[in-house]
Amino acid sequence: QVQLVESGGGLVQPGDSLSLSCAGSGRTFADYTMAWFRQAPGKEREFVAASGSRSKGGNTYYADSVKGRFAISRDGTKNTVFLQMNSLKPEDTAVYYCAAGQPILSALRMSSIYRFWGQGTQVTVST
């Protein structure tokens, strides 16, 4: 059974940092794009960041809203992807989901393309 399990969410203050992890099991994800999405209350799920598969160069991609503040990385040997979030803002508050799929580059930011999903972890940025 394929599973993605996120961890690391929590309550932080504006300007703080937080690191999320997503551990995959049930198969190897080396040839999959691993991504993070988030969904705030009353809003649609949105793309945050993605790490391309090794076979496709392993490039990273970011939403404009997090570029320069967030960093995605992956440990292929442990089937794990990370999201380092710095300079957090209240608008970063959302449930963060890990996803795995094999999208073409032009569809990288589309949640519907991703086959496997984690259960989500809450990130709250507030004073």
Side-chain angles (χ1 to χ4, degrees), residues 32-78:
Y32 277 69
T33 293
M34 303 291 291
W36 290 93
F37 288 78
R38 66 187 182 186
Q39 188 166 18
K43 294 188 176 181
E44 292 186 354
R45 192 168 296 190
E46 66 173 359
F47 171 80
V48 175
S51 173
S53 66
R54 222 169 19 192
S55 62
K56 294 187 178 180
N59 294 324
T60 56
Y61 307 86
Y62 297 95
D64 288 344
S65 59
V66 306
K67 200 173 294 183
R69 299 189 298 122
F70 290 12
I72 187 171
S73 60
R74 61 195 293 175
D75 182 339
T77 61
K78 295 183 178 180

Side-chain angles (χ1 to χ4, degrees), residues 83-94:
L83 185 68
Q84 177 65 39
M85 304 184 293
N86 301 321
S87 303
L88 282 162
K89 305 175 181 180
E91 50 263 44
D92 294 319
T93 295

